[in-house]
Amino acid sequence: MEDDAPVIYGLEFQARALTSQTAESDAIRFLVGTQSLKFDNQIHIIDFDDENNIISKSVLLHQAGEIWHISASPADKAVLSTCYNKTSESRVVTCGAVWRMPPEWESGSHESPDDPHNSHNPQNLELLCHLDNSAHGNASSVLWEPMGDGKRVISLADNHALLWDLTESSTQATISSSATLEGKGQLKFTSGKWSPHHNCTQLATANDTAIRGWDLRTMSQIYCIENAHGQLVRDLDFNPNKQYYLASCGDDCKVKFWDVRNINEPVKSLEEHSHWVWSVRYNHSHDQLVLTGSSDSRVILSNMVSISSEPFGHLVDDDDLSDGEDNHQDEKSKEPLQDSIISTYEEHEDSVYAVEWSSADPWLFASLSYDGRLVINRVPRALKYHILL
């Protein structure tokens, strides 16, 4: 059973910002933001035709500055947010903003990447509102409320977490509450994740080597994992099926899995990368599948089945089994399956800053390295059938 080859797309600029289009559940679509100091920056809308293994793209101009972070609205597929650099009074500041794609981008204006005329007069994004936080410092990321109506976002700016309410048209944002990181030295949030559990009332943030949990109703800290990693924590993700489970990765080359009810030590720790780990993502449907990307230029797909929501594999109700299948089911359910590294992907030649699962196809994912190479890969078929059958 041969697996499909990876599909590679090259941007002409360096890039580190990647997201899947969360509100799109039919088309496989990723958004990539570029980092160019000389030229106008761009957002590439990458559509993947799964049947024919073909990528098509649209390019939108993001003239505001180089993009450090991008995220898509969970409710409106034309709306996205970016964090970008701009020069103000001879110093560089990082701002957050919410944008709308022009209406034409969806009307079949996609071109194949090989088309020589594919970069003629790209359109501008329409600015909906600034998440104007000049009083609060530099924005490192903007997080949308999971499964929300696209009207609540959190921006992390230096040592502030700001909860914004957007108006119906998203053209105005007001801060409804905020939390501040207190302590010695220059504290700064490096990343955060809005939990899809507990009615979306919890946020996890990383700063330096610590991971903190916050209750968004009171904007107070609910847990703190000091020294979660030996060096800087780079990224976090919540298990979509187990409400207390959280994954983290960092500059100590490790990926750790936590149960936030018991923060003294991780439930599990992986050390498969040989350099900083920049990104960790749980699969949205099958939480045993965990992706990581690192500046060792590799993407690793792990099967963390022992700490997943299905540690014994996919169990079938007894009623569904015919007599002949009973014995086989008994054998299968006796012992938990073993954790393993499924695959290491080495199509990148530069630091992999972002990995993302597709919102439309649970077996497909994209990774982005700093040289502007986007690689689309699939979970190996044998494993896919093993999980499903």
Side-chain angles (χ1 to χ4, degrees), residues 113-248:
D114 307 324
D115 180 353
H117 307 293
N118 58 5
S119 297
H120 59 287
N121 60 7
Q123 292 207 290
N124 275 303
L125 285 164
E126 176 197 344
L127 175 67
L128 290 178
C129 63
H130 285 289
L131 300 175
D132 185 17
N133 50 6
S134 45
H136 295 101
N138 290 315
S140 61
S141 54
V142 174
L143 317 169
W144 294 83
E145 180 179 24
M147 291 103 64
D149 57 2
K151 297 296 167 248
R152 293 173 82 210
V153 296
I154 289 172
S155 68
L156 300 178
D158 285 349
N159 62 333
H160 300 279
L162 310 169
L163 179 58
W164 302 80
D165 286 333
L166 301 177
T167 54
E168 194 55 45
S169 58
S170 299
T171 49
Q172 207 176 352
T174 48
I175 296 177
S176 61
S177 53
S178 64
T180 305
L181 208 47
E182 308 283 357
K184 293 196 227 47
Q186 277 197 308
L187 297 172
K188 203 170 167 183
F189 288 122
T190 47
S191 70
K193 204 75 181 186
W194 196 326
S195 169
H197 308 293
H198 316 287
N199 288 332
C200 299
T201 56
Q202 291 189 12
L203 168 75
T205 60
N207 70 286
D208 200 22
T209 61
I211 297 169
R212 293 164 203 273
W214 304 84
D215 186 329
L216 297 172
R217 295 164 296 190
T218 57
M219 281 313 221
S220 54
Q221 191 172 294
I222 43 181
Y223 58 82
C224 177
I225 309 173
E226 299 277 4
N227 302 314
H229 286 261
Q231 295 175 46
L232 188 70
V233 182
R234 290 276 173 194
D235 199 18
L236 306 167
D237 199 20
F238 281 98
N239 184 316
N241 300 330
K242 295 182 80 173
Q243 59 182 351
Y244 298 108
Y245 275 61
L246 175 71
S248 64

Side-chain angles (χ1 to χ4, degrees), residues 65-334:
E66 45 175 348
I67 302 167
W68 287 82
H69 184 265
I70 185 170
S71 49
S73 162
D76 185 339
K77 52 189 180 189
V79 174
L80 62 123
S81 64
T82 60
C83 294
Y84 58 90
N85 275 4
K86 72 169 187 183
T87 310
S88 169
E89 294 163 11
S90 74
R91 65 190 191 96
V92 176
V93 292
T94 312
C95 309
V98 179
W99 309 85
R100 178 177 289 283
M101 300 177 193
E104 297 80 30
W105 75 271
E106 243 194 323
S107 59
S109 60
H110 286 265
E111 296 127 346
S112 99
D114 307 324
D115 180 353
H117 307 293
N118 58 5
S119 297
H120 59 287
N121 60 7
Q123 292 207 290
N124 275 303
L125 285 164
E126 176 197 344
L127 175 67
L128 290 178
C129 63
H130 285 289
L131 300 175
D132 185 17
N133 50 6
S134 45
H136 295 101
N138 290 315
S140 61
S141 54
V142 174
L143 317 169
W144 294 83
E145 180 179 24
M147 291 103 64
D149 57 2
K151 297 296 167 248
R152 293 173 82 210
V153 296
I154 289 172
S155 68
L156 300 178
D158 285 349
N159 62 333
H160 300 279
L162 310 169
L163 179 58
W164 302 80
D165 286 333
L166 301 177
T167 54
E168 194 55 45
S169 58
S170 299
T171 49
Q172 207 176 352
T174 48
I175 296 177
S176 61
S177 53
S178 64
T180 305
L181 208 47
E182 308 283 357
K184 293 196 227 47
Q186 277 197 308
L187 297 172
K188 203 170 167 183
F189 288 122
T190 47
S191 70
K193 204 75 181 186
W194 196 326
S195 169
H197 308 293
H198 316 287
N199 288 332
C200 299
T201 56
Q202 291 189 12
L203 168 75
T205 60
N207 70 286
D208 200 22
T209 61
I211 297 169
R212 293 164 203 273
W214 304 84
D215 186 329
L216 297 172
R217 295 164 296 190
T218 57
M219 281 313 221
S220 54
Q221 191 172 294
I222 43 181
Y223 58 82
C224 177
I225 309 173
E226 299 277 4
N227 302 314
H229 286 261
Q231 295 175 46
L232 188 70
V233 182
R234 290 276 173 194
D235 199 18
L236 306 167
D237 199 20
F238 281 98
N239 184 316
N241 300 330
K242 295 182 80 173
Q243 59 182 351
Y244 298 108
Y245 275 61
L246 175 71
S248 64
C249 62
D251 286 2
D252 56 1
C253 311
K254 291 181 182 171
V255 179
K256 295 187 179 185
F257 299 88
W258 305 90
D259 180 338
V260 299
R261 296 166 298 185
N262 176 20
I263 56 177
N264 297 325
E265 56 183 323
V267 182
K268 205 95 184 172
S269 188
L270 292 178
E271 201 169 351
E272 300 295 332
H273 286 287
S274 56
H275 207 269
W276 305 348
V277 188
W278 283 83
S279 190
V280 59
R281 289 289 178 271
Y282 277 105
N283 185 290
H284 309 307
S285 309
H286 308 284
D287 55 282
Q288 62 265 50
L289 301 177
V290 179
L291 272 180
T292 52
S294 158
S295 31
D296 62 6
S297 306
R298 294 185 305 157
V299 174
I300 294 179
L301 175 60
S302 306
N303 191 11
M304 302 306 296
V305 68
S306 71
I307 53 172
S308 74
S309 53
E310 292 189 338
F312 296 93
H314 184 60
L315 296 183
V316 185
D317 287 343
D318 289 345
D319 308 348
D320 300 342
L321 292 169
S322 63
D323 295 341
E325 288 179 293
D326 279 350
N327 300 337
H328 171 67
Q329 182 66 16
D330 287 345
E331 286 164 32
K332 190 176 175 182
S333 56
K334 275 177 195 158

Side-chain angles (χ1 to χ4, degrees), residues 1 363 379-389:
M1 193 158 46
W363 308 106
V379 173
R381 278 187 195 162
L383 177 71
K384 172 179 169 178
Y385 295 134
H386 182 76
I387 289 172
L388 288 177
L389 303 175

